[in-house]
Amino acid sequence: MAISLSDIAERAGVSVKTVSGALHGGSARMSDDTRQKVKAIAEELGYVTNLAARGVRQGWLPLVGVISDGLITSPFATEIVRGLDGAARSAGMAVFAVNHSSGQSIGSVIDEVQQFRPRAVAYAAMYHKDVDLPPAVAGSVGVMINCREASGRVTSLVPDEEGGAREIVRYLLAAGRRRIAFINLPGILAGTLREKGFRAALEGAGINPLVVVPAVRRSVYSDRAPSLVAGHVEALLATGQRPDAILCGNDRVAMEVYAALARAGLRIPDDVAVASFDNQVELASRLDPPLTTMALPHRAMGRLAMEILLAGEPEPPRLRKLPFHLVERASV
Amino acid sequence: MAISLSDIAERAGVSVKTVSGALHGGSARMSDDTRQKVKAIAEELGYVTNLAARGVRQGWLPLVGVISDGLITSPFATEIVRGLDGAARSAGMAVFAVNHSSGQSIGSVIDEVQQFRPRAVAYAAMYHKDVDLPPAVAGSVGVMINCREASGRVTSLVPDEEGGAREIVRYLLAAGRRRIAFINLPGILAGTLREKGFRAALEGAGINPLVVVPAVRRSVYSDRAPSLVAGHVEALLATGQRPDAILCGNDRVAMEVYAALARAGLRIPDDVAVASFDNQVELASRLDPPLTTMALPHRAMGRLAMEILLAGEPEPPRLRKLPFHLVERASV
DNA sequence: CTCATTTGGGTTATCGTTTACCCTATAGTT
DNA sequence: AACTATAGGGTAAACGATAACCCAAATGAG
């Protein structure tokens, strides 16, 4: 079927090992003449390296396996994969992803991945959460992305939720806002951590948070849960203490806040500033006015993950928090 | 390093081939006793098949390569990959994706993919477009997803844009709407085809389209291009012939239409119905009222692509148009 | 009881590549 | 001129799994 080294060897009148050396072994000693001739014939025949064969010799394939937990619906998944992919390709690796559907045990998914003898394996969560890796398989996973591994045996990469919240609060304060409300995402780790950062930043400035309320019914954040946002905004506006800034748990919440404020006849940012988390570009940049929001470091997590995976000497496992990135638009 | 068949064979006191037969060759004749013993030892030792070794023998690896053209920013990419992945896994295959960045020739990307000796290769475009595959590589690609291959040497799977437009128009007509405007996406294939379907459906009903206008400056559709939507809506409302329905090129355009109608004090759907294409769930379901929209058949394209790739006898190449799917919410 | 068939399993070659080791010229050194 | 490096390249053995072939023992039919 496909051309192999021995086809080239025969045609060039040299041995297989010479061909191998000419094409792949950069430092193999041989005359430039031979090397060029072999390369020319390989090119002519359309030779393509058989990585499976090399893999059986080396014991691994130039692949990086990514186990993604649950559905890959989120657009963030692509960002993580993109970060991984970019770094992987420059190292001559390809990324293959397998879904960890809720039915299966993590062990069986890892076995599935290990069949390919990948160079490295990463585990990626689709939203920031805690994950408990069974001891037996912890050794097969090189890095955890967007989740905190409980046992501490594996390096975990997560967004710095607290820091991100502090940063956006400081930005609102610098813009002169003082009565800041937070419509948070309840029941998820990111929400809990952001609330901590939110309160800490305000406290540091000697200001009390106006209010912290959940975007949907407490303890269940899901896109399908009925939204409480409109009600919250109306309630906030009905009080004497009208907020001069509303921080939102994500861009979709901000979208609803925009609508509620528009109904109330208030202008953004003149009457009320709005800021949020996520930076779903397609949404945030299309709102009127375009939304100022904290971008999650998904791409950076992917890139750093690959660096860690492909690094020679593994550093001791630890939790690394990656900074958010402020995307300034016009809503503050 | 990893356990191999010979480790098991030694431990079980049988030959390697017997182990191979016991674990993988379902029909290999041997006593149930032997088979069970071998399986038990394999389990105990934690044996994991080495697919690279099998691959060198068979000539291919149980991998399906997906070449994705350009950036994988779109959330649709995940849908396509999900469709592929689901079908692939039930066939024991994994999907690996490589980005076709604009700098590279398609040939070099295909070579990169072929190094892994994948069972099949698909090419996926991130938006509906025409793609010209060089004759030399057309043979290596089994199916084109979300794009039309010019030469006709490869089966192409695309959304049925015309049919989708016809369907949503018929739905609007059935809801009693007669003055229907279309804010289309200019400069892209999907827009052109949808406009055809839009006009055809109205013509079939003996009605004239109110107007067809571009969402952004003509001939350049991009998320970053300045939007013309607000202006169009205002202009439409200023005429004597106020529309009773606005069809939008995508959900983000619809979002802007919502805002413009709200500013004008009009209610959806009572005063004006709004419908669109895409079904970006997170956006469409969060709008108020939730948006009725035509969902693109991305998942279906992924699934069908895998079926075609893994089918034994290839059917003659042709262009297959997959139907959109109406998602009824509350905006009509 | 003999011969044919089936059962259970071993031998060995093979896939394409890499690598440890070996051989032979040629060039350079003394 | 003899001797030693070294360049240039060949041989052959891996890597792990599979498959074509073979062989011995057990089973069945006549």
Side-chain angles (χ1 to χ4, degrees):
Chain A
M1 185 67 221
I3 317 281
S4 71
L5 289 189
S6 61
D7 297 323
I8 301 175
E10 189 179 355
R11 179 94 164 238
V14 300
S15 77
V16 170
K17 111 89 198 176
T18 302
V19 177
S20 172
L23 297 180
H24 305 307
S27 65
R29 50 182 196 185
M30 73 183 52
S31 66
D32 246 24
D33 229 34
T34 310
R35 192 182 291 270
Q36 293 312 323
K37 188 175 73 179
V38 169
K39 281 189 172 173
I41 294 180
E43 174 78 14
E44 182 193 335
L45 263 46
Y47 171 75
V48 177
T49 309
N50 183 331
L51 292 178
R54 178 182 296 169
V56 82
R57 193 80 231 283
Q58 320 271 34
W60 49 265
L61 286 169
L63 283 170
V64 174
V66 178
I67 301 171
S68 69
D69 104 272
L71 350 184
I72 326 191
T73 33
S74 112
F76 306 139
T78 50
E79 281 297 297
I80 294 177
V81 170
R82 248 182 107 179
L84 283 165
D85 189 59
R89 300 256 324 264
S90 41
M93 308 251 162
V95 172
F96 75 107
V98 311
N99 233 358
H100 177 201
S101 55
S102 45
Q104 309 170 78
S105 81
I106 171 76
S108 75
V109 180
I110 290 190
D111 278 359
E112 221 174 293
V113 169
Q114 293 288 11
Q115 295 192 326
F116 288 97
R117 299 292 189 273
R119 194 66 207 280
V121 176
Y123 188 99
M126 287 310 115
Y127 65 94
H128 190 168
K129 57 170 9 177
D130 285 310
V131 169
D132 209 351
L133 227 45
V137 302
S140 335
V141 177
V143 64
M144 309 285 290
I145 304 174
N146 208 24
C147 52
R148 309 189 300 193
E149 202 280 312
S151 74
R153 271 183 297 262
V154 185
T155 286
S156 300
L157 270 33
V158 296
D160 181 10
E161 311 281 359
E162 282 192 59
R166 279 197 306 268
E167 185 176 344
I168 186 67
V169 168
R170 277 199 289 260
Y171 179 75
L172 289 169
L173 290 173
R177 310 293 169 160
R178 289 297 177 270
R179 297 186 305 281
I180 307 177
F182 186 12
I183 303 181
N184 197 13
L185 308 181
I188 62 174
L189 183 55
T192 309
L193 295 171
R194 287 173 191 172
E195 187 170 332
K196 256 172 92 174
F198 174 79
R199 291 187 188 279
L202 285 178
E203 193 173 331
I207 294 180
N208 285 326
L210 196 62
V211 66
V212 178
V213 289
V216 298
R217 191 159 50 80
R218 248 198 202 294
S219 82
V220 187
Y221 178 72
S222 140
D223 286 344
R224 290 167 208 279
S227 170
L228 307 174
V229 174
H232 285 318
V233 174
E234 282 164 28
L236 276 168
L237 298 180
T239 65
Q241 280 277 67
R242 200 179 78 191
D244 58 10
I246 301 179
L247 179 59
C248 304
N250 64 24
D251 295 347
R252 295 194 299 282
V253 170
M255 184 178 85
E256 295 179 73
V257 168
Y258 269 53
L261 290 174
R263 273 194 300 275
L266 293 176
R267 286 162 314 162
I268 304 169
D270 307 306
D271 300 319
V272 183
V274 178
S276 74
F277 295 89
D278 269 14
N279 190 36
Q280 279 197 256
V281 180
E282 304 148 358
L283 205 163
S285 67
R286 278 289 182 233
L287 286 169
D288 179 28
L291 177 64
T292 292
T293 181
M294 297 298 292
L296 284 154
H298 284 120
R299 188 95 61 98
M301 289 192 293
R303 206 167 21 222
L304 180 57
M306 192 55 67
E307 281 167 26
I308 291 174
L309 289 175
L310 301 181
E313 221 28 51
E315 45 175 313
R318 63 194 178 100
L319 181 69
R320 293 185 63 167
K321 299 178 187 170
L322 278 73
F324 279 66
H325 165 233
L326 173 64
V327 180
E328 271 188 273
R329 293 201 182 87
S331 65
V332 174
Chain B
M1 183 70 222
I3 317 282
S4 72
L5 288 189
S6 60
D7 297 323
I8 301 175
E10 189 181 354
R11 178 95 165 234
V14 299
S15 76
V16 171
K17 113 91 197 172
T18 302
V19 178
S20 172
L23 297 180
H24 306 306
S27 65
R29 48 182 196 187
M30 73 183 52
S31 67
D32 244 24
D33 230 34
T34 310
R35 191 182 292 270
Q36 291 314 323
K37 188 176 73 178
V38 169
K39 280 190 173 173
I41 293 181
E43 174 79 14
E44 182 193 335
L45 263 46
Y47 171 75
V48 177
T49 308
N50 184 331
L51 293 177
R54 179 183 294 169
V56 82
R57 192 82 232 280
Q58 319 271 31
W60 49 265
L61 287 169
L63 283 170
V64 175
V66 178
I67 300 171
S68 69
D69 103 273
L71 351 183
I72 325 191
T73 31
S74 115
F76 306 140
T78 50
E79 281 297 297
I80 294 176
V81 171
R82 249 182 106 178
L84 283 164
D85 189 60
R89 297 236 355 243
S90 39
M93 308 251 164
V95 173
F96 74 107
V98 310
N99 233 358
H100 178 201
S101 55
S102 45
Q104 310 171 75
S105 81
I106 172 76
S108 75
V109 180
I110 291 190
D111 277 359
E112 220 174 294
V113 169
Q114 294 288 9
Q115 294 192 324
F116 288 96
R117 297 295 189 275
R119 193 67 208 279
V121 175
Y123 187 99
M126 287 310 113
Y127 64 94
H128 190 167
K129 57 175 2 184
D130 286 310
V131 170
D132 209 351
L133 228 44
V137 303
S140 336
V141 177
V143 64
M144 308 286 290
I145 304 173
N146 208 23
C147 52
R148 311 189 300 193
E149 203 281 312
S151 74
R153 271 182 297 261
V154 185
T155 286
S156 300
L157 271 33
V158 295
D160 181 10
E161 310 281 357
E162 282 192 60
R166 280 198 306 269
E167 186 178 343
I168 186 68
V169 167
R170 277 199 288 259
Y171 179 75
L172 289 169
L173 290 172
R177 311 291 169 161
R178 288 298 177 270
R179 297 187 305 283
I180 307 179
F182 185 12
I183 303 181
N184 197 13
L185 308 182
I188 62 174
L189 184 55
T192 308
L193 295 171
R194 287 172 191 172
E195 186 170 333
K196 256 172 91 173
F198 174 79
R199 291 187 188 279
L202 285 178
E203 192 172 334
I207 293 180
N208 284 327
L210 196 60
V211 67
V212 178
V213 289
V216 297
R217 191 158 51 80
R218 246 198 204 295
S219 82
V220 188
Y221 179 72
S222 141
D223 286 345
R224 289 166 209 279
S227 170
L228 306 175
V229 174
H232 284 318
V233 174
E234 282 164 29
L236 276 167
L237 299 180
T239 65
Q241 280 276 68
R242 201 179 75 189
D244 59 10
I246 300 179
L247 179 59
C248 304
N250 64 25
D251 294 348
R252 294 194 299 281
V253 170
M255 184 179 84
E256 297 180 71
V257 168
Y258 270 52
L261 290 174
R263 273 193 299 274
L266 293 175
R267 287 162 314 165
I268 304 169
D270 307 306
D271 300 319
V272 182
V274 178
S276 75
F277 295 89
D278 269 14
N279 191 34
Q280 280 197 255
V281 181
E282 304 148 358
L283 205 164
S285 67
R286 278 288 181 232
L287 285 169
D288 179 26
L291 176 66
T292 292
T293 181
M294 298 298 292
L296 285 154
H298 284 121
R299 187 97 60 101
M301 289 193 293
R303 208 166 21 223
L304 180 56
M306 192 56 69
E307 281 167 26
I308 291 173
L309 289 175
L310 301 180
E313 221 28 52
E315 44 175 313
R318 63 195 178 97
L319 181 69
R320 295 185 61 168
K321 299 180 188 169
L322 277 73
F324 278 66
H325 164 234
L326 173 65
V327 180
E328 272 188 271
R329 293 201 182 88
S331 64
V332 173

